[in-house]
Amino acid sequence: MNDLYVTCEDIISDIDFKTVRDWKDRTGGKAVGYFPVYAPAEIIHAAGMLPVGLAGAGDRLDIQHADARFGSFICSIVKTTLELGMTDHLAAFDALLFTSICDSARNLCYVMQRNFPEKYVDFLHLPHNPSSPAAAEFLASEYRRLSARLEELGGEPYDEVAVLHAIESFNENRALTRSLCDWRAERPHLMKASELYALVRAGNYLPVEQHTEMLVAAGAEFEGRAAKARDSIRVVVEGAFCEQPPIDVVRIIEQAGCYVVDDDLTIGRRWFTEDISTDGDPMMALAQAYLDKSVYSSVRHDFRKPRSQGLVEKVRNRKADAVIMLVAKFCEPAYFDYVLFKQELEKEGIPHLLIEFEEKLFTFENLRMEVETFAESLLFA
Amino acid sequence: MRFAAGVDVGSTQTKAAIVEQNAGPVAFAIVDTGASVTRAAENAFNVACREASLQPADVGFVVGTGYGRYKIAFGNAQMTEISCHARGAHALFPNTRTVIDMGGQDSKAISVDDNGHVLDFVMNDKCAAGTGRFLANAAEVLGLGLAEFGALSAKATHPVKITTVCTVFVESDILSYLALGKKPEDIVRGVHLAIAKRTVSLARRVPLEPSVTLTGGVSRNEGMVAALEEVLGVPLQVSPQAHFAGALGAALHALDRVDASFESGVWRTAV
């Protein structure tokens, strides 16, 4: 494997957050960890702080504290994120930010507040009704509140130009990510899903400029690749937008006879379908983009367009043969949507397979058999 | 090449089947899997070749299946036991629409089309309930051999209610009933019914449509077959070759590829 992807895998599996500590040592700045799925990283960046996308602890941490604080029906990422805190792995973070993606995540915010009073822990209210004329102003006011709190924490005072520059930096990063995703959909035999996943997710732990350089380097390297395509089915992987599967699960899906032509793994890193405007009030631009330029997602309600329609469009646009619903155990948003997705996929005649994962999975044989059977049922029908 | 083979490396036993073009199955073989999956696969294949009076080189294509499918050194391709049981069950009973496969370590329900292709499937999850392992444990607690355990079920007059389908905790249930003086046959029947209910619940997650064919090693347990039929309310199709269904299905998939231009391993990465 190319050194770049080894580096990315090391970064995404590091629960000591070395990249964050190094950045703090180098700059003297503060780090803000945000729980998935989406957070306005531009505002944190413009305050001179490092926005870091948290994603639980994977299989790197045994749970010894969180089980005593949460019920057994709570998903892994909520528990391991608390466990990270209880075991001092979040010491590098000066602030933690949560949004309204599900009940467990919402409550995790206040559990964190109680357990870590020395940190600034906040809950950002993202609007649930994008059709409301007040939604954009409401969200912009939330962003201004966040900006003011970051300033109180020692961040740079709000500066419109700094936010606009941050938007430009993140626009560039997201555009590169989108183009790599497009490239992969065209030539999935040349870019492994696990490589793209590690590459994109690594951006959660790095300054945006540094990550953008990695994306550029990766793009150049991919262009030079050549390989023979296997006889595999083209699948869209959907459902792991918050808790992330072990990277071996992503590998097994491909090994088992699938080309992943699109997915929603770490979807927060390509949350917008196009660039955010850099004209006018940047807080309003960020808010308006959240309402009108976001990807469809199980954690963002939009009555103007059903999410199931978004999934079918993705399947059609990517010329996928099938959908693999890859859902974290106890993930309510994903399971609620699965019902709607299943109905729509069946109406459209799109084959689908549901597989469930947890952060901690060490044997994958059943999962491999399920995906292989699914691929065989389509390849040899 | 007129011959193709399937080798099904199961957790307990390894099965092999050889099929001939336009003639169907010509030989079956079964050996204990033991510690070496690779050796068991070779043994089963060689025994089947001898049975069919063939040299291994006479067999044009070999598909490996079962949990040890990637360890078969001589296989040309691998397919899952779900795809193979579906195909094998359809070959044994062409009217099959649902396959219940009960093996040593897991159980599966498979919905198939009228060509034996998989439409949908479901597997038991991280639990031995509904598997041969569960029945073997229960038989052991009662001091019975597996054959005896299956046959005894028919003598039951007042089956007990087993409250758990947990392989570990069923032992306490059985011991409690023995302490209460319940007859072994009533306990055995209770165990079979508990597993049958669990298995049918699993099968109802795929369209459970008739005709239903039972495959896998547990199909040889007559008590289990009777309990499943009682819970399902329909007769089960059970072939004397039911435990070879995976190997037979693999052989038939192999036969499809004997003459086709097929590049080994092109559709997935071997592990």
Side-chain angles (χ1 to χ4, degrees):
Chain A
M1 192 162 49
N2 185 301
D3 285 349
L4 178 63
Y5 308 105
V6 176
T7 304
C8 289
E9 280 200 38
D10 287 347
I11 290 172
I12 68 174
S13 59
D14 174 21
I15 57 168
D16 292 317
F17 300 98
K18 184 171 182 304
T19 54
V20 179
R21 291 170 192 277
D22 286 351
W23 179 86
K24 289 184 75 168
D25 289 346
R26 207 165 57 241
T27 64
K30 289 189 160 61
V32 180
Y34 62 86
F35 196 77
V37 176
Y38 168 74
E42 291 89 340
I43 296 171
I44 300 164
H45 183 277
M49 298 179 176
L50 182 67
V52 180
L54 300 174
D59 60 7
R60 297 299 174 102
L61 203 57
D62 288 328
I63 297 197
Q64 295 182 28
H65 303 86
D67 275 340
R69 288 163 172 81
F70 287 121
S72 55
F73 45 82
I74 300 296
C75 62
S76 301
I77 186 173
V78 165
K79 286 185 181 174
T80 56
T81 302
L82 177 61
E83 193 74 26
L84 282 172
M86 304 301 286
T87 50
D88 218 23
H89 285 89
L90 297 180
F93 296 96
D94 304 281
L96 298 171
L97 193 60
F98 295 83
T99 54
S100 43
I101 59 167
C102 68
D103 278 353
S104 304
R106 184 167 54 83
N107 287 304
L108 178 61
C109 174
Y110 303 106
V111 171
M112 289 298 220
Q113 262 182 4
R114 274 201 302 280
N115 281 280
F116 306 102
E118 74 285 2
K119 290 187 197 298
Y120 161 51
V121 181
D122 205 351
F123 188 88
L124 196 65
H125 293 270
L126 300 172
H128 293 291
N129 179 9
S131 314
S132 161
E137 183 45 46
F138 167 78
L139 185 53
S141 73
E142 270 295 276
Y143 288 166
R144 287 186 205 104
R145 183 179 67 80
L146 171 66
S147 175
R149 294 300 309 275
L150 293 178
E151 189 179 336
E152 282 172 30
L153 190 67
E156 299 290 333
Y158 174 70
D159 174 5
E160 194 173 292
V161 175
V163 182
L164 287 170
H165 280 154
I167 291 175
E168 281 169 1
S169 296
F170 280 89
N171 274 347
E172 183 188 10
N173 187 280
R174 282 186 292 256
L176 280 165
T177 306
R178 284 196 299 270
S179 96
L180 285 172
C181 291
D182 292 344
W183 197 95
R184 183 265 301 264
E186 292 293 320
R187 285 157 280 193
H189 59 292
L190 298 180
M191 189 191 294
K192 289 182 185 146
S194 53
E195 290 177 328
L196 184 61
Y197 168 61
L199 176 69
V200 172
R201 185 174 152 193
N204 278 348
Y205 313 93
L206 297 168
V208 63
E209 299 82 2
Q210 188 182 340
H211 186 238
T212 296
E213 284 173 18
M214 287 169 83
L215 295 178
V216 170
E221 194 265 324
F222 285 136
E223 285 292 349
R225 288 188 181 187
K228 191 177 162 192
R230 291 176 305 159
D231 189 10
S232 296
I233 58 168
R234 294 168 61 89
V235 299
V236 165
V237 173
E238 184 83 13
F241 42 80
C242 177
E243 181 171 322
Q244 297 300 291
I247 195 162
D248 280 343
V249 169
V250 182
R251 288 199 180 96
I252 280 167
I253 288 173
E254 286 202 312
Q255 288 170 358
C258 302
Y259 280 134
V260 179
V261 292
D262 211 338
D263 60 64
D264 63 349
L265 298 162
T266 9
I267 192 66
R269 294 217 61 83
R270 49 207 157 106
W271 187 255
F272 299 106
T273 54
E274 54 186 283
D275 283 353
I276 299 174
S277 166
T278 47
D279 289 334
D281 174 4
M283 295 307 205
M284 272 306 274
L286 281 167
Q288 206 66 56
Y290 180 84
L291 298 172
D292 296 330
K293 294 178 180 175
S294 291
V295 292
Y296 75 89
S297 167
S298 294
V299 296
R300 191 182 69 87
H301 300 281
D302 191 339
F303 304 112
R304 298 167 298 185
K305 183 176 172 184
R307 294 192 283 278
S308 51
Q309 193 183 325
L311 176 58
V312 169
E313 280 174 13
K314 193 193 270 187
V315 171
R316 301 288 185 225
N317 292 341
R318 295 304 197 191
K319 299 184 176 63
D321 302 307
V323 172
I324 291 181
M325 293 294 305
L326 180 62
V327 177
K329 193 166 193 151
F330 303 123
C331 177
E332 287 189 349
Y335 272 116
F336 287 152
D337 270 5
Y338 172 63
V339 179
L340 304 174
F341 287 166
K342 182 174 185 287
Q343 284 172 347
E344 193 69 16
L345 292 171
E346 285 171 5
K347 198 176 92 191
E348 295 286 327
I350 300 166
H352 57 88
L353 172 74
L354 171 69
I355 50 181
E356 189 180 77
F357 71 91
E358 290 180 80
E359 277 189 5
K360 267 205 180 82
L361 273 182
F362 299 102
T363 57
F364 303 97
E365 286 319 300
N366 276 7
L367 195 143
R368 181 190 299 278
M369 180 159 38
E370 289 177 272
V371 183
E372 284 190 4
T373 304
F374 184 59
E376 287 166 4
S377 74
L378 296 177
L379 279 173
F380 306 125
Chain B
M1 288 281 190
R2 290 168 25 231
F3 298 98
V7 180
D8 177 7
V9 185
S11 55
T12 317
Q13 292 181 309
T14 296
K15 288 78 64 179
I18 296 178
V19 292
E20 183 177 3
Q21 248 169 8
N22 307 318
V26 292
F28 291 108
I30 185 163
V31 300
D32 285 340
T33 299
S36 170
V37 168
T38 310
R39 203 172 314 131
E42 264 172 26
N43 287 346
F45 178 59
N46 289 335
V47 173
C49 285
R50 273 203 302 277
E51 187 77 14
S53 305
L54 294 172
Q55 294 300 314
D58 297 332
V59 177
F61 204 95
V62 182
V63 165
T65 188
Y67 93 101
R69 62 192 176 281
Y70 287 108
K71 303 287 183 232
I72 302 174
F74 54 93
N76 300 94
Q78 296 82 27
M79 293 186 79
T80 70
E81 54 261 49
I82 298 174
S83 300
C84 293
H85 273 270
R87 184 79 182 268
H90 176 264
L92 294 169
F93 298 102
N95 59 346
T96 300
R97 289 298 170 275
T98 308
V99 182
I100 296 176
D101 166 32
M102 295 177 81
Q105 295 290 331
D106 58 23
S107 57
K108 309 170 190 88
I110 313 161
S111 169
V112 300
D113 69 10
D114 50 11
N115 293 311
H117 290 125
V118 176
L119 292 175
D120 200 0
F121 61 92
V122 60
M123 298 169 61
N124 65 327
D125 180 31
K126 291 181 188 168
C127 173
T131 70
R133 188 69 247 159
F134 180 93
L135 295 169
N137 272 18
E140 199 177 318
V141 178
L142 287 161
L144 298 168
L146 265 179
E148 211 182 342
F149 184 79
L152 195 58
S153 197
K155 295 184 182 152
T157 51
H158 298 90
V160 300
K161 292 232 184 281
I162 297 286
T163 53
T164 177
V165 285
C166 170
T167 312
V168 178
F169 291 120
V170 74
E171 189 173 334
S172 345
D173 265 20
I174 293 174
L175 291 173
S176 304
Y177 279 126
L178 285 174
L180 287 170
K182 295 285 181 190
K183 292 180 190 160
E185 54 265 37
D186 288 338
I187 300 174
V188 170
R189 179 74 173 159
V191 168
H192 281 135
L193 283 169
I195 290 305
K197 284 172 195 160
R198 164 95 182 183
T199 305
V200 171
S201 302
L202 180 82
R204 288 198 197 287
R205 288 164 63 185
V206 298
L208 182 51
E209 285 170 10
S211 297
V212 184
T213 299
L214 182 66
T215 64
V218 176
S219 63
R220 286 178 288 176
N221 177 328
E222 60 209 81
M224 197 65 241
V225 174
L228 277 169
E229 286 182 328
E230 182 180 323
V231 175
L232 276 171
V234 294
L236 277 176
Q237 303 186 128
V238 188
S239 159
Q241 270 88 39
H243 55 298
F244 289 111
L248 175 61
L252 291 168
H253 280 298
L255 197 60
D256 289 347
R257 287 158 186 81
V258 163
D259 292 325
S261 59
F262 181 84
E263 195 179 334
S264 177
V266 291
W267 83 82
R268 63 168 67 108
T269 317
V271 288

